Amino acid sequence: MTRFFRLLRSVLFDIHVYASMLVLGVIFAPWAVVSRKGARAACKTYCRWVLWTARWMVGIRTEVRGPVPEGEVIIAAKHQSFLDILIIFNALPSARFIMKRELLWTPVIGVYARRLGCVPVNRGKRGAAIAKMVKDVASQSREPGQLVIYPQGTRVMPGAEKPYKVGTAVLYEGLKQACVPVATNVGVFWPRNGLMRNPGLGVVEFLEPMQPGLKPKAFMKALEETVEGRSAALMREAGFDPGQPALQN
């Protein structure tokens, strides 16, 4: 019976997550259309609302660790679920994301992503996509802020392995900006698949910045070791063995 009520609360929470997105998207639309500041305020409000309701609806508390970056930096983050997007965006002063192009055509998300200056990538054409990504980022260099990229390119279940893609190194070398690795354990509580939301403390941790100047191969090796090592430690702290993929409840 307890499991049934947990599942019911999880389903209601998910419905609320998407309903809130629509409602706030419509409410903020007039301001967002004329001002990027309005679009950012809408997204910050949404993030804070979902993070707050997650506490009492499904028992997920969240915490940000490490110094939050400011200014123009690259954020290379572990991506496990929608939750880490919310925590990262809420924490950073002026974030924009490298995102798959298909999301630009989704209601609300696509409209606000464009207004925030997010950079779409066509994942089906790897070489051309990387070249265009660098060009698009460079063309928006007049907009200071934190550029968030997911080096593995998609959400990855806790315990699962997926290679890091070269696009992060290309950006790091081309922009000549510091790169801040980000670790997380949120997939333990908010899995990428399934409806069950598990109570606990979801953490996003900003790690020591990697300064410009590393060779691409050395940069990627250090980035992967740092993010995967710290994410594994956070998952163990949450009571999950990263040596075994999480079961989707």
Side-chain angles (χ1 to χ4, degrees):
M1 187 61 71
T2 301
R3 179 180 173 80
F4 170 77
F5 283 115
R6 277 183 55 209
L7 179 59
L8 178 61
R9 288 169 63 127
S10 298
V11 170
L12 293 175
F13 174 71
D14 268 23
I15 293 171
H16 138 271
V17 165
Y18 293 104
S20 299
M21 182 185 297
L22 178 60
V23 170
L24 289 173
V26 171
I27 290 173
F28 277 88
W31 187 14
V33 167
V34 299
S35 169
R36 180 166 289 182
K37 183 178 179 180
R40 191 167 302 282
C43 296
K44 290 274 190 181
T45 300
Y46 174 71
C47 290
R48 290 165 185 163
W49 173 257
V50 174
L51 295 179
W52 178 69
T53 55
R55 294 178 67 95
W56 59 268
M57 288 189 75
V58 289
I60 298 178
R61 296 169 292 116
T62 59
E63 181 178 306
V64 175
R65 297 181 185 173
V68 177
E70 298 180 355
E72 292 190 89
V73 294
I74 300 167
I75 307 293
K78 182 74 174 175
H79 188 22
Q80 292 184 336
S81 80
F82 187 47
L83 181 56
D84 55 68
I85 296 177
L86 301 178
I87 298 172
I88 289 172
F89 187 86
N90 187 53
L92 293 172
S94 185
R96 55 196 175 104
F97 290 79
I98 302 289
M99 58 187 290
K100 59 184 180 181
R101 180 171 296 277
E102 294 85 344
L103 289 175
L104 289 182
W105 312 114
T106 58
V108 185
I109 291 177
V111 173
Y112 280 87
R114 290 175 187 272
R115 295 296 296 136
L116 292 174
C118 294
V119 181
V121 173
N122 185 347
R123 296 194 299 183
K125 300 178 180 178
R126 184 178 176 186
I130 291 173
K132 188 174 188 308
M133 176 179 67
V134 175
K135 180 181 177 181
D136 289 345
V137 170
S139 71
Q140 295 186 30
S141 60
R142 63 187 181 279
E143 298 287 349
Q146 302 78 45
L147 181 66
V148 183
I149 185 170
Y150 294 110
Q152 291 170 294
T154 189
R155 294 170 297 170
V156 180
M157 286 171 47
E161 295 183 2
K162 188 173 180 62
Y164 278 48
K165 298 183 177 182
V166 71
T168 308
V170 174
L171 279 180
Y172 168 78
E173 187 174 39
L175 297 178
K176 296 179 172 55
Q177 295 176 357
C179 176
V180 178
V182 178
T184 191
N185 66 359
V186 299
V188 174
F189 310 105
W190 187 326
R192 60 167 291 180
N193 299 319
L195 294 174
M196 187 71 83
R197 303 291 175 251
N198 304 306
L201 179 63
V203 177
V204 160
E205 184 170 0
F206 294 96
L207 305 172
E208 187 72 22
M210 301 171 67
Q211 298 303 323
L214 291 174
K215 297 294 184 183
K217 188 174 181 179
F219 166 76
M220 290 303 298
K221 183 175 186 295
L223 176 67
E224 183 170 355
E225 289 176 351
T226 300
V227 172
E228 292 302 309
R230 187 57 193 152
S231 293
L234 291 175
M235 286 185 275
R236 291 190 190 97
E237 181 182 310
F240 173 76
D241 177 8
Q244 298 293 327
L247 295 176
Q248 301 303 317
N249 295 318

